[in-house]
Amino acid sequence: MPFKKVTNTVGGTMPTIEPGTYTVTVLRIEDMEPGQYGERMRWVLALTDEDGVPVAWDNGDPYEWWQQTGTTLGPKSTARKWADALMGRDLRDGDDGDDVADALIGKSARALIDIGETGFARIVGLTPLKRRAKAAPVEAEEDTGVF
């Protein structure tokens, strides 16, 4: 017997997440049971499309999207790249992991979402919403016309 439509507990149809750019906002970060690749955590996110429309169930309820990462914050880890983008700055040596997790709640970033090998949408990159501060430009001396 084939499955019926996927529904949540309130009866809405699961939204389709198309590849593209979204704004993601961290709702919470959950511990998970260790898996094949070690300790994991689940990032629970709200998505907003490029037009500023929140992704929702067809009945209008907010949709909570999630993706897993490891728990390490080493320079090459996905969790570190996401934390840097969400914080709008690079993490510093000695930043406490629990403090970082707490600080990420409510933070937003721009996400590039694509369809993975398994056929499900996944974040393939996060960038800060605002550009990181650059050094102020040096003002040019006034041109007096004299060489």
Side-chain angles (χ1 to χ4, degrees):
M1 171 179 212
F3 291 109
K4 295 184 180 189
K5 259 193 223 178
V6 175
T7 60
N8 71 0
T9 56
V10 293
T13 302
M14 186 173 179
T16 301
I17 309 299
E18 298 290 340
T21 304
Y22 294 80
T23 298
V24 295
T25 302
V26 179
L27 301 175
R28 61 187 177 279
I29 300 172
E30 301 171 344
D31 291 326
M32 297 181 62
E33 291 294 321
Q36 174 181 352
Y37 302 105
E39 293 184 21
R40 310 292 290 164
M41 61 186 171
R42 177 180 294 131
W43 299 68
V44 182
L45 309 163
L47 300 177
T48 305
D49 69 19
E50 290 182 287
D51 297 323
V53 177
V55 175
W57 295 94
D58 66 347
N59 64 6
D61 287 345
Y63 179 68
E64 291 185 355
W65 192 70
W66 58 267
Q67 187 165 323
Q68 300 174 26
T69 70
T71 59
T72 61
L73 290 172
K76 294 183 179 183
S77 73
T78 299
R80 170 67 173 268
K81 292 172 187 173
W82 288 14
D84 287 349
L86 288 156
M87 298 286 281
R89 67 169 177 85
D90 292 338
L91 297 180
R92 296 180 282 272
D93 282 343
D95 280 346
D96 180 74
D98 289 336
D99 291 343
V100 170
D102 289 342
L104 291 173
I105 305 304
K107 299 281 190 206
S108 299
R110 182 79 54 217
L112 178 60
I113 294 180
D114 201 359
I115 305 301
E117 293 175 7
T118 60
F120 293 100
R122 66 185 182 94
I123 295 173
V124 295
L126 278 186
T127 55
L129 284 180
K130 298 179 187 175
R131 295 265 183 225
R132 294 175 191 226
K134 294 182 180 179
V138 177
E139 290 189 31
E141 292 183 27
E142 186 175 315
D143 184 11
T144 60
V146 179
F147 295 101

